[in-house]
Amino acid sequence: MSDAIQDRCARGADARARFAFGDRPWPEEGLTIMTRRKKIYEGKAKILYEGPEPGTLIQYFKDDATAFDGTKKAVLEGKGVINNRISEYVMIRLNSIGVQNHFIRRLNLREQLIKEVEIIPLEVVCRNIAAGSLSRRFGLPEGQALPRSIIEFYLKDDKLGDPMVAEEHITAFNWAATQEIDDMMATTLRVNDFLTGLFGAVGITLVDFKIEYGRVWENDFSRVILADEISPDSCRLWDSATNEKLDKDRFRRDLGNVIESYTEVARRLGVMKEMPTVIQGGIQ
Ligand code: 5GP
C-alpha cells in the first residue's frame, strides 16, 4: 500500500475511533496527522517526529506489535490508540505526584507532544511477582510473589537480544553515571508503588513493567526524567480476581483477545468508555 493510501486509511480509522470515544470532531485533529513532519526515529511500536518547537517531539503510537526482539510481528488494529490513551493517563497521574516525565499533552488519537530527551540506552524493569524471563532464569513458578520488588537493567539493543547488564557495565561503558543509576532506581520504586495502587484500585495486579529514562539538559547540567510509554505493551497486568493476563503476553503467547484486554485495562482506568469502532470494523 502506498504511503498516501495508508495515510488516508489511518485517517478514516482514527475518525471512526474518535467518534466511538466521543472525542473532539475530526477536522481539527486531522490537521495534526496530515502535516508533513520530519521523522526523527522509528521504533517497533512508535514513531518520533520533529515537534512544533525546539525541545519537543511528537510521539506517534503504531498498531504494530512485536515480540521476541522483533522476530514475531503483527498489526493489532487500534492498539496505538489505546496505548496513547493509557500512557497519557499514567504519565499525567505520575506527574501529579512529582514524577517528572516527558509527556506534555495528547494531540490526537495516536499522537502526543513530548519533551525531547537524550534517551539512556537502558530498559529498567521492575518486578513484584515472578513471570517471564525472571521465572525462566531462576526456575520460579509464574505468579510467585517476590520477597521484595526487584529492579533490573537491560541494554536496549535488539541485535544483542537486550542483554541484562550490571551497574558495573553501565558505568564502565558510560551508558549512565552512578548518580543517574541511583535516580532511576529511586524513581522506578516510586513509580512501582504508585502504579501498584493505581492498578490495584481497579482490580488489576501490576506484576512487572519496563520503563525508560532520558536526560534533559539545562545549561551544563542534566537530569533524568521518565520517557517512552507505560501501557499494556510494557507492563504485565493481571486481573486481580482471576489472574487473567491483560497485557502483551496475550500476543506473545497467542492467547487471543489482545485488543479486548488492552481495552479492558483502559476501561477500568476510566480512560475509554467503550470498544472503539476502529477495532471492530477494521480499516477499509
Ligand atoms: P521479561 O524480562 O520478563 O520478558 O519482561 C519484564 C517486563 O518488561 C514485562 O512487563 C515486559 O512487558 C517488559 N519488557 C521487557 N522488554 C521489553 C521490551 O523490549 N519492550 C516492551 N514494550 N516491554 C518490555
Side-chain angles (χ1 to χ4, degrees), residues 94-259:
L94 285 170
N95 192 50
S96 76
I97 59 150
V99 174
Q100 293 186 10
N101 61 70
H102 72 165
F103 180 84
I104 301 173
R105 68 187 161 88
R106 187 169 62 83
L107 296 172
N108 55 55
L109 281 170
R110 289 178 183 276
E111 295 177 327
Q112 43 186 247
L113 187 66
I114 57 168
K115 287 181 196 144
E116 185 172 21
V117 300
E118 184 184 297
I119 278 286
I120 294 175
L122 297 170
E123 297 188 342
V124 184
V125 169
C126 182
R127 304 177 186 271
N128 301 308
I129 293 172
S133 69
L134 186 83
S135 288
R136 281 198 298 280
R137 215 176 313 130
F138 299 119
L140 295 172
E142 197 165 82
Q144 181 175 303
L146 300 173
R148 62 177 175 83
S149 302
I150 294 174
I151 295 180
E152 301 166 335
F153 292 94
Y154 295 83
L155 180 65
K156 259 171 77 75
D157 190 326
D158 275 349
K159 281 194 240 81
L160 298 177
D162 292 347
M164 195 195 223
V165 292
E167 192 167 336
E168 277 289 281
H169 304 116
I170 298 173
T171 50
F173 294 118
N174 258 328
W175 295 320
T178 305
Q179 182 61 53
E180 290 176 326
I181 297 173
D182 291 349
D183 290 349
M184 288 190 283
M185 290 187 73
T187 304
T188 302
L189 285 177
R190 189 132 186 260
V191 169
N192 184 44
D193 284 348
F194 183 73
L195 292 189
T196 296
L198 186 89
F199 285 115
V202 295
I204 295 174
T205 304
L206 179 63
V207 173
D208 56 33
F209 61 92
K210 182 268 304 181
I211 46 182
E212 296 182 23
Y213 289 91
R215 290 182 195 100
V216 281
W217 288 89
E218 277 149 20
N219 301 318
D220 285 344
F221 297 97
S222 71
R223 73 199 146 83
V224 163
I225 66 169
L226 193 58
D228 197 49
E229 72 177 298
I230 298 181
S231 74
D233 265 5
S234 57
C235 305
R236 282 200 175 90
L237 303 168
W238 294 355
D239 181 279
S240 305
T242 63
N243 278 349
E244 189 190 356
K245 297 180 199 319
L246 301 171
D247 56 64
K248 196 169 157 187
D249 272 350
R250 298 206 73 86
F251 169 68
R252 293 187 189 102
R253 302 179 190 190
D254 295 321
L255 299 175
N257 290 340
V258 185
I259 289 298

Side-chain angles (χ1 to χ4, degrees), residues 268-282:
R268 288 199 202 178
L269 291 174
V271 300
M272 207 177 271
K273 290 174 197 70
E274 59 192 81
M275 187 80 129
T277 315
V278 61
I279 294 159
Q280 292 160 345

